[in-house]
Amino acid sequence: MEYDERLARFRQCHVNPFDRGENDDTPDRKDPPKHEVRPELFTTETKTQSSDRTMDLGLAEDHFSRPVASFVASDIEQLKQAIEECKRLILELPEHSERQKDTVVKLIHLRLKLQELKDPEEDEPNLWILLEHRFSKEKSKSVKQTCDKCSAIIWGLIQTWYTCTGCYYRCHSKCMNLITKPCVRSKVSHQSEYELNICPENGLDKQDYRCAECRTPISLRGVPSEARQCDYTGQYYCSSCHWNDTAIVPARVIHNWEFEPKKVCRSSMRYLALMISRPVLKLKEINPLLFNFVEELVEIRKLRQDILLMKPYFITCKEAMEARLLLHLQDRQHFVENDDMYSLQDLIDISSGRLSCSLTEIHTTFAKHIKLDCEKCQAKGFVCELCKEGDILFPFDSHTSVCQDCSAVFHRDCYYDNSTTCPRCARMTERKQEEPVEL
């Protein structure tokens, strides 16, 4: 009896103005507006049963039709009471029953509304600059994200949140003033280099048994917080700074040609994501032996050397400039500048075979323009001066050799480095000797 009386009093606090008896013949009775929904917690039972009436929990009241400004403290307390009663009913109802599922749905709606009342939307600035972050206010309401500061879910439907346009750091508006991590993009701008030692661990004692980023006490036993190692930096982090994200570690690629993603902390994951397309790896100096064991690297290096030899043709060709042939490599501009710098994305694509296919296709397109499509580029070819036979030669042909001094092109079988004298170099030397010396 005491239970029924308590629920009866609870329902009296949540009376719906449109919830009247079925036999009410009051002449001034009006139908509820279309935009106001009178949800029923259970629809499988008749309203005359007292057990169903006790489960209504006051949810028939249309909380969502009232403006936010009109809510007072009593509304929050009523919602809290309804949430607690909903939780109790979920435990009492049969497992996996329709009534239990309906109650869970009602519990979710009540919690969302309570969160909205606690954190009402205010006029937040569209742009917020903090610790070199450039936070932009997000307008998406449907995408589910996680706050990088408090690790809680961002409910875009009822919460204001921001994303850094530089490093894509996401957080609630209420967490903005708690941010202590500077923008990773600033580190990329000032220090564009990788850690090239594989997991350079120093031990927790060197970190004073604290998180390397936020200085929270940590230990391998998980008390007071679990210590998680970042495979990129080798340091240990707390669970708030290390979410067990995985990324390909550059040091393992360069030294072991290993592309299996490893667990890294949040800051390392963002840094690697921003650095992945930057050509900062000079493999000839870091690990020259890698070319002896990875055939794909040798193939890519030859294609890049050929493209560098084709570049002068395109720069001086009007048709090539109008066709913008060099834009085929706009995503890898370093390919038309040098042949020894690689990005981490280049190495990943080499390992998967994607780069070899795309670069071979671009190489074929460039060679076709020079040797077949453009007469001006054909006129810049060479004739082997040693045998004076064969077709027009170009420095990027596979069967040719190029003089390192004057860039003349010969058949590979005719010209041997260090053993054959270049006729063009001989003529240039003779000319210089015949010129009179000017005092």
Side-chain angles (χ1 to χ4, degrees):
M1 290 300 292
E2 181 182 354
Y3 168 75
D4 294 336
E5 290 176 1
R6 183 166 59 89
L7 283 181
R9 288 197 304 272
F10 179 75
R11 288 198 61 220
Q12 289 176 2
C13 299
H14 295 74
V15 176
N16 191 323
F18 301 104
D19 190 10
R20 303 195 176 194
E22 296 180 359
N23 299 325
D24 189 359
D25 298 330
T26 306
D28 58 348
R29 176 181 178 181
K30 297 181 181 180
D31 293 330
K34 294 181 179 179
H35 66 278
E36 294 187 357
V37 181
R38 190 176 71 181
E40 298 293 342
L41 187 59
F42 305 111
T43 59
T44 58
E45 302 291 335
T46 61
K47 296 182 179 180
T48 58
Q49 295 181 0
S50 60
S51 61
D52 288 346
R53 287 200 299 268
T54 60
M55 295 180 184
D56 190 5
L57 304 177
L59 298 178
E61 180 179 358
D62 190 2
H63 291 281
F64 301 93
S65 64
R66 301 172 61 184
V68 175
S70 68
F71 281 99
V72 292
S74 61
D75 295 298
I76 296 179
E77 293 302 323
Q78 291 171 3
L79 280 174
K80 287 182 178 179
Q81 292 175 7
I83 288 173
E84 291 301 322
E85 191 64 25
C86 222
K87 290 162 65 176
R88 186 188 65 78
L89 288 175
I90 290 173
L91 296 176
E92 292 181 355
L93 290 172
E95 288 288 335
H96 307 297
S97 63
E98 291 297 327
R99 300 172 68 186
Q100 188 187 54
K101 293 178 182 178
D102 292 339
T103 312
V104 171
V105 172
K106 295 300 179 183
L107 178 61
I108 293 173
H109 285 296
L110 284 172
R111 281 180 166 174
L112 286 176
K113 190 58 184 177
L114 181 62
Q115 183 68 29
E116 181 180 359
L117 292 182
K118 288 184 177 180
D119 301 322
E121 184 175 357
E122 300 177 356
D123 294 333
E124 301 284 353
N126 292 327
L127 185 64
W128 200 326
I129 300 178
L130 179 68
L131 295 176
E132 298 187 352
H133 291 282
R134 292 182 62 86
F135 286 104
S136 176
K137 187 176 180 180
E138 292 292 344
K139 298 180 180 180
S140 174
K141 302 295 185 182
S142 59
V143 179
K144 182 179 177 181
Q145 302 289 352
T146 303
C147 178
D148 285 305
K149 178 57 184 177
C150 66
S151 304
I153 295 176
I154 298 175
W155 298 100
L157 193 62
I158 60 176
Q159 292 177 322
T160 305
W161 59 291
Y162 288 82
T163 300
C164 176
T165 57
C167 65
Y168 307 107
Y169 187 96
R170 302 180 182 90
C171 69
H172 298 101
S173 60
K174 63 182 181 181
C175 299
M176 293 290 288
N177 294 326
L178 304 176
I179 296 175
T180 57
K181 303 174 183 178
C183 183
V184 178
R185 183 171 286 277
S186 62
K187 179 181 177 182
V188 173
S189 302
H190 297 101
Q191 184 183 1
S192 295
E193 58 184 17
Y194 286 118
E195 170 61 58
L196 298 180
N197 294 317
I198 298 177
C199 195
E201 179 182 2
N202 290 322
L204 270 174
D205 57 333
K206 297 293 184 180
Q207 298 180 206
D208 197 22
Y209 294 91
R210 294 181 179 273
C211 173
E213 191 163 306
C214 67
R215 306 306 295 167
T216 300
I218 55 176
S219 71
L220 294 177
R221 295 182 178 180
V223 179
S225 180
E226 178 188 3
R228 298 178 178 178
Q229 187 179 30
C230 173
D231 195 84
Y232 175 69
T233 63
Q235 295 179 314
Y236 290 89
Y237 299 82
C238 65
S239 57
S240 297
C241 300
H242 194 314
W243 295 6
N244 286 329
D245 299 301
T246 59
I248 296 176
V249 180
R252 294 186 179 275
V253 173
I254 294 173
H255 297 293
N256 298 342
W257 201 244
E258 178 185 353
F259 294 89
E260 181 182 355
K262 301 294 182 179
K263 292 182 180 181
V264 295
C265 65
R266 295 291 290 176
S267 58
S268 295
M269 184 193 67
R270 291 194 185 90
Y271 182 77
L272 293 175
L274 293 174
M275 286 284 294
I276 192 169
S277 298
R278 289 180 173 255
V280 296
L281 298 173
K282 198 167 186 178
L283 295 184
K284 285 196 304 185
E285 296 181 358
I286 301 173
N287 185 11
L289 295 177
L290 198 60
F291 291 90
N292 297 336
F293 297 96
V294 183
E295 297 179 358
E296 295 86 349
L297 278 175
V298 179
E299 178 186 357
I300 295 299
R301 182 174 60 181
K302 180 62 172 67
L303 291 173
R304 290 183 63 176
Q305 291 172 348
D306 291 348
I307 289 174
L308 289 177
L309 294 174
M310 296 177 185
K311 181 180 176 181
Y313 290 86
F314 297 145
I315 294 177
T316 56
C317 177
K318 183 178 179 181
E319 294 182 4
M321 296 298 289
E322 291 177 352
R324 299 185 177 184
L325 291 178
L326 290 177
L327 287 182
H328 285 81
L329 292 170
Q330 60 181 346
D331 295 333
R332 307 180 196 267
Q333 295 185 10
H334 53 288
F335 280 15
V336 296
E337 297 173 357
N338 56 72
D339 63 349
D340 55 355
M341 300 299 292
Y342 293 84
S343 68
L344 181 59
Q345 187 63 57
D346 293 338
L347 302 182
I348 294 173
D349 292 340
I350 289 174
S351 176
S352 64
R354 289 193 298 268
L355 183 57
S356 178
C357 295
S358 61
L359 201 58
T360 300
E361 184 178 350
I362 293 173
H363 183 279
T364 303
T365 302
F366 287 0
K368 181 174 177 293
H369 170 84
I370 296 173
K371 302 176 71 173
L372 299 177
D373 298 342
C374 181
E375 294 182 356
K376 294 180 179 179
C377 291
Q378 292 179 30
K380 297 175 184 177
F382 293 82
V383 175
C384 181
E385 295 187 36
L386 296 176
C387 66
K388 296 183 173 54
E389 296 179 357
D391 299 330
I392 299 175
L393 304 179
F394 294 91
F396 51 83
D397 288 334
S398 58
H399 59 283
T400 60
S401 293
V402 180
C403 176
Q404 299 298 324
D405 297 327
C406 66
S407 300
V409 182
F410 307 94
H411 290 113
R412 180 174 297 174
D413 296 335
C414 300
Y415 182 77
Y416 299 95
D417 298 338
N418 302 325
S419 61
T420 305
T421 303
C422 172
R424 188 179 182 185
C425 290
R427 288 197 306 272
M428 294 172 65
T429 303
E430 186 177 351
R431 257 189 227 131
K432 287 182 179 180
Q433 293 176 351
E434 292 178 357
E435 291 178 358
V437 179
E438 295 182 4
L439 298 177

